[in-house]
Structure formats: C-alpha cells, structure tokens
Amino acid sequence: MWYYNNMIYYLNYGEEQLSGYNERDISQALLKFIIDEKQVDHYLIKKEKFGKPFIEGHPFHFSISHTHGFCGIAVSDSRIGFDAEQKDRKLNNSLLKRICTRDELNCIRGDEDALRLWVLKEACVKFTGRGIMQILEGIELDYGTLSSKDGRLKCHMIELDHIVMATCQETDYSHELSILTVKDIERYL
C-alpha cells in the first residue's frame, strides 16, 4: 500500500537543457520518476469527467503544474490541487475582475498579490477537477487565512526566488519539497 506525506517534487530547468521537449513531456517524465520512486510496477493513468488525471486503483493523488523552466507535481494520500507561476508574470486586470470577488479584489495591493491570488485560486480549481472559468468565480478565498470562505478548502503558499506555488486540500497539511535535476528524469523522456 502506498503512503504519502504531502510532497511537492519540482524541477527548475533551463530551456536549453531540455530543448526538443515540451512542458507536457517533462511533466509526464517527472510523474514517471515519482511512480518509479514509489516502486509501483503496474499503473494506469486515467482522467475524471472534467480531465483531472488520477492513477487507477491506487490511493495516490497528484496535481501537475508547469510554467517556463519549471515543472512541479504535488502528491498526497488525499485529493490535492497544485499550481505554480513565475513571479514575473503579469495578470490582465480584466481577467482578475472576472474571476475574483469584490472582497478578493480589495486584498490586492499590487502585481505580487494578484499573482498569489491567481495561483491560490487555480490550485483550488485543480483540487475540484472542474473547468477553470466554470469554477473560479464559485470559490471565494479568505486571503488572510488562505482558506475558502466556507472553510472547506485549506491552501498553502510556497515562494521560491522566482516561483510562487500553492496547494489546496480539504485538510491542513504541510508540504515537503523535493528538488530534482534534469539528470533525475532524463531516462523517462
């Protein structure tokens, strides 16, 4: 039986290191690395109704995010959502007005707050496994406590030098980070 602490495996890479591979190839290689690390011989990756991937027959939950030069996968023994973005990403104000409540917009003091809120909300969307625009407006976050206003979802924010990451779960777990290198995953590409 698999047992997982909440873990985020991530890979920072220069695009020249993995030229010829797209972000999907890299995320699949990272997932295969994790599955091998847990010594799972037979597995089948399927998708839920709205596209959230899962491993059939295993109590293994995961969520994938990638952005320029970064790929991460959060794994857990309970349902999880995960998102990551480059800190220098600028969000369109009209997008924020469409996905944020008035209270959420009032918490935004600049580009960094806007990006953090976006990453938190996207992690929540990935937790639900529903379409992004369909659900973003229905999730209201308390930016101070990093939880949904109804208290059901708990979020964690992790910031590195150039990346902001967030996880979303129904339980309030902390997360360990596992930093990988291109060498760790190259045999899975």
Side-chain angles (χ1 to χ4, degrees):
M1 181 171 161
W2 290 13
Y3 172 75
Y4 289 92
N5 293 328
N6 284 334
M7 181 74 95
I8 298 172
Y9 295 84
Y10 74 92
L11 171 70
N12 281 312
Y13 58 91
E15 294 188 19
E16 68 283 348
Q17 290 177 290
L18 292 171
S19 62
Y21 297 101
N22 62 38
E23 291 174 335
R24 185 170 188 260
D25 295 334
I26 296 163
S27 62
Q28 287 179 348
L30 182 54
L31 182 58
K32 288 175 186 174
F33 170 86
I34 294 166
I35 290 169
D36 271 4
E37 184 181 72
K38 302 305 177 187
Q39 300 175 343
V40 176
D41 293 328
H42 304 287
Y43 64 92
L44 180 61
I45 297 174
K46 290 194 163 190
K47 292 189 177 186
E48 294 176 355
K49 180 180 178 180
F50 295 103
K52 183 174 177 62
F54 69 96
I55 297 180
E56 187 176 60
H58 292 282
F60 174 72
H61 298 267
F62 67 95
S63 184
I64 300 170
S65 185
H66 39 73
T67 183
H68 311 287
F70 174 91
C71 179
I73 299 179
V75 298
S76 179
D77 56 4
S78 65
R79 192 170 182 92
I80 191 166
F82 172 68
D83 191 47
E85 290 289 347
Q86 295 284 344
K87 282 186 175 179
D88 61 0
R89 179 177 176 192
K90 303 291 184 224
L91 297 175
N92 182 310
N93 283 336
S94 64
L95 173 65
L96 290 172
K97 288 177 183 174
R98 285 187 12 228
I99 64 163
C100 294
T101 66
R102 182 174 293 132
D103 286 346
E104 289 171 336
L105 288 171
N106 288 336
C107 291
I108 296 174
R109 302 286 178 245
D111 290 342
E112 288 180 6
D113 285 342
L115 184 62
R116 286 183 190 109
L117 184 58
W118 170 262
V119 170
L120 286 166
K121 287 192 88 152
E122 192 151 343
C124 291
V125 166
K126 289 180 175 183
F127 169 86
T128 67
R130 310 275 316 246
I132 192 160
M133 293 314 291
Q134 179 182 8
I135 195 81
L136 272 177
E137 294 171 336
I139 297 173
E140 185 172 6
L141 294 174
D142 181 328
Y143 195 63
T145 63
L146 296 183
S147 62
S148 58
K149 288 266 180 150
D150 64 9
R152 186 175 75 93
L153 303 178
K154 310 293 185 217
C155 301
H156 285 270
M157 179 76 61
I158 302 156
E159 294 194 41
L160 303 175
D161 289 340
H162 63 287
I163 297 286
V164 59
M165 299 182 270
T167 61
C168 176
Q169 291 179 278
E170 289 182 317
T171 51
D172 196 13
Y173 290 129
S174 60
H175 299 81
E176 295 180 43
L177 297 177
S178 179
I179 306 166
L180 302 176
T181 66
V182 171
K183 189 173 182 169
D184 292 323
I185 69 157
E186 63 189 355
R187 74 180 181 126
Y188 302 99
L189 288 167

